[in-house]
């Protein structure tokens, strides 16, 4: 059994890593966070030129035809760089249409998503706990939607949205159409703004796929968030280690203190050991559908929990200043908070694991 990235996947990872480091170093990242829009057209254009928006979309529709594992590797690097931008919702919208759309619907929407010329997103949440397709309650009335969806990533930027509807299906809504109103939410992560979409008779086009397709997209979201949280947690480990090597107390770097060494070692071992969880969850989504739901829930619950613990330790090792606006640690802390909460908390995913195992 080969357990690791192949040469093509390593090249992809190194390419995205170089792009993030070159185009969005911490000073630029802070400028974008201060702006508060969560979107930079230049960064998005750069990602589009590398083919990232269409990475997991079929070649027939303008994508690269890769799998979720490759997309998850990209999300690890987005987490490591805390990169702002709409890729999360955009990528999920592409997967939803690819899985649940008819041939005509794929032909209509996927090329624009693959090229990045058309921004898309997804709307899952019905209230605080309604992330799963079987919990969606937004109803269709004669081809139009009435109600609301919360926590829509980049809902204020997307041109259309794939909305989860009652029964576990999907419908596509143009966000500038009559009967759609977008209300910004006060989210934790300025690199990934959230919105509530209000629908008042908004025209919607139903995708053909059933709740099975929606569940696949839900699981893909869990895998991508786990991968991103993993990347962010590793960045916090390296950032904190570098700080401990330079911050002096009693005339010596604090990294020489045994208590600090132990905490840094604990942070590193917690994160690195979880890398295989998101790799396997992505592989299961691609190749082992019977294991996919369990693996995705396990990766999301475990990695995002570990990432929060690492973020808290990072703040403590920065002497408490890590949570302040002036310290970059807070940027990554807020990203892992987003990754933990969106799509369901670790507790909700552990409940799903128990239900899947008939415990």
């Amino acid at each position: 059994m080969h357990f690791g990235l192949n040469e093509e996947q390593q090249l992809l990872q190194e390419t995205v890593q170089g792009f993030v480091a070159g185009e969005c170093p911490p000073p630029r990242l802070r400028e974008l966070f201060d702006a508060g829009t969560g979107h930079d057209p230049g960064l998005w254009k750069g990602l589009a030129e590398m083919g990232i928006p269409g990475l997991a979309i079929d070649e027939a529709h303008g994508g690269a035809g890769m799998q979720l594992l490759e997309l998850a590797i990209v999300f690890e690097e987005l987490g490591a760089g805390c990169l702002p931008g709409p890729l999360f919702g955009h990528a999920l919208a592409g997967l939803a249409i690819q899985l649940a759309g008819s041939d005509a619907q794929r032909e209509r929407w996927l090329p624009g998503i693959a090229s990045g010329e058309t921004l898309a997103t997804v709307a899952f949440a019905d209230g605080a706990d309604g992330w799963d397709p079987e919990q969606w309650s937004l109803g269709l009335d004669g081809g139009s939607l009435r109600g609301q969806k919360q926590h829509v990533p980049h809902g204020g930027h997307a041109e259309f949205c794939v909305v989860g509807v009652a029964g576990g299906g999907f419908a596509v809504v143009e966000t500038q159409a009559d009967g759609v109103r977008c209300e910004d939410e006060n989210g934790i992560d300025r690199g990934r703004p959230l919105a509530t979409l209000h629908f008042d008779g908004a025209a919607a086009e139903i995708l053909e796929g059933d709740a099975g397709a929606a569940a696949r997209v839900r699981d893909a979201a869990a895998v991508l968030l786990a991968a991103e949280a993993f990347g962010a947690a590793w960045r916090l480990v390296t950032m904190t280690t570098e700080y401990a090597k330079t911050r002096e107390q009693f005339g010596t770097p604090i990294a020489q203190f045994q208590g600090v060494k132990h905490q840094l070692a604990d942070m590193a071992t917690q994160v690195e050991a979880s890398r295989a969880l998101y790799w396997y969850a992505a592989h299961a989504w691609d190749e082992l559908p019977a294991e996919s739901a369990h693996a995705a829930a396990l990766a999301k619950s475990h990695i995002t929990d570990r990432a929060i613990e690492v973020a808290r330790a990072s703040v403590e090792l920065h002497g408490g200043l890590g949570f302040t606006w002036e310290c970059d640690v807070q940027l990554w802390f807020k990203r892992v908070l987003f990754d933990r909460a969106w799509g369901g908390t670790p507790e909700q995913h552990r409940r799903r694991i128990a239900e899947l195992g008939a415990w």
Side-chain angles (χ1 to χ4, degrees), residues 40-63:
D40 178 72
L43 281 178
W44 182 248
K45 182 181 179 183
L47 289 172
E49 288 174 349
M50 291 190 294
I52 301 301
L55 199 67
I57 291 176
D58 292 340
E59 292 178 282
H61 298 107

Side-chain angles (χ1 to χ4, degrees), residues 85-358:
L87 184 63
F88 176 61
H90 187 85
L92 291 177
L95 287 175
I97 293 171
Q98 184 158 275
L99 287 170
S102 65
D103 289 342
Q105 290 167 331
R106 294 189 191 105
E107 188 65 32
R108 176 181 174 188
W109 284 305
L110 288 182
I113 293 178
S115 67
E117 293 176 357
T118 306
L119 278 183
T121 190
V122 291
F124 284 1
D126 277 355
D129 298 326
W131 293 103
D132 296 326
E134 56 269 25
Q135 298 171 316
W136 293 341
S137 59
L138 187 66
L140 277 163
D141 180 12
S144 61
L145 291 173
R146 294 186 186 279
Q148 67 179 30
K149 283 285 187 179
Q150 297 171 309
H151 316 321
V152 180
H154 282 85
H157 296 91
E159 292 160 70
F160 68 86
C161 182
V162 179
V163 181
V165 297
F170 285 129
V172 179
V173 179
E174 295 185 15
T175 57
Q176 298 301 313
D178 292 340
V180 181
R181 180 170 61 87
C182 179
E183 178 184 6
D184 291 338
E185 296 179 12
N186 187 21
I188 187 73
D189 183 356
R190 286 189 163 208
R192 190 165 287 157
L194 298 172
T196 296
L197 294 184
H198 300 268
F199 306 107
D200 184 14
E205 180 168 340
I206 300 295
L207 299 184
E208 292 184 347
D210 57 14
R216 293 273 289 159
V217 180
R218 182 267 320 276
D219 293 340
V223 174
L224 297 181
L225 291 171
E228 184 174 70
F230 175 85
W234 249 124
R235 180 60 179 270
L236 285 166
V237 171
T238 56
M239 189 185 303
T240 307
T241 302
E242 290 304 314
Y243 175 78
K245 288 179 180 176
T246 57
R247 171 74 168 89
E248 292 190 357
Q249 187 70 356
F250 308 118
T252 186
I254 64 172
Q256 293 196 8
F257 299 145
Q258 197 74 359
V260 173
K261 290 179 183 177
H262 284 172
Q263 287 194 67
L264 291 171
D266 186 55
M267 291 164 65
T269 52
Q270 282 198 63
V271 177
E272 178 57 31
S274 63
R275 183 194 299 271
L277 274 179
Y278 101 72
W279 278 3
Y280 186 78
H283 171 69
W285 197 92
D286 293 326
E287 305 290 348
L288 306 168
E291 300 180 30
S292 176
H294 178 271
L298 188 61
K300 173 74 157 65
S301 59
H302 183 80
I303 294 177
T304 59
D305 252 358
R306 299 290 78 74
I308 290 294
E309 290 179 10
V310 165
R312 286 174 175 158
S314 181
V315 169
E316 292 170 5
L317 288 170
H318 277 77
L321 61 86
F323 78 95
T324 64
W325 186 260
E326 290 75 17
C327 181
D328 289 341
V329 168
Q330 53 98 6
L331 305 176
W332 277 265
F333 199 156
K334 289 168 182 173
R335 178 57 55 90
V336 298
L337 283 171
F338 178 99
D339 294 337
R340 183 184 187 277
W342 205 95
T345 63
E347 291 77 15
Q348 289 171 299
H349 282 278
R350 291 192 189 99
R351 191 180 308 125
R352 285 195 60 240
I353 292 170
E355 292 169 356
L356 290 167

Side-chain angles (χ1 to χ4, degrees), residues 39 69 76 95 310:
H39 179 47
L69 178 55
E76 178 187 334
L95 287 175
V310 165

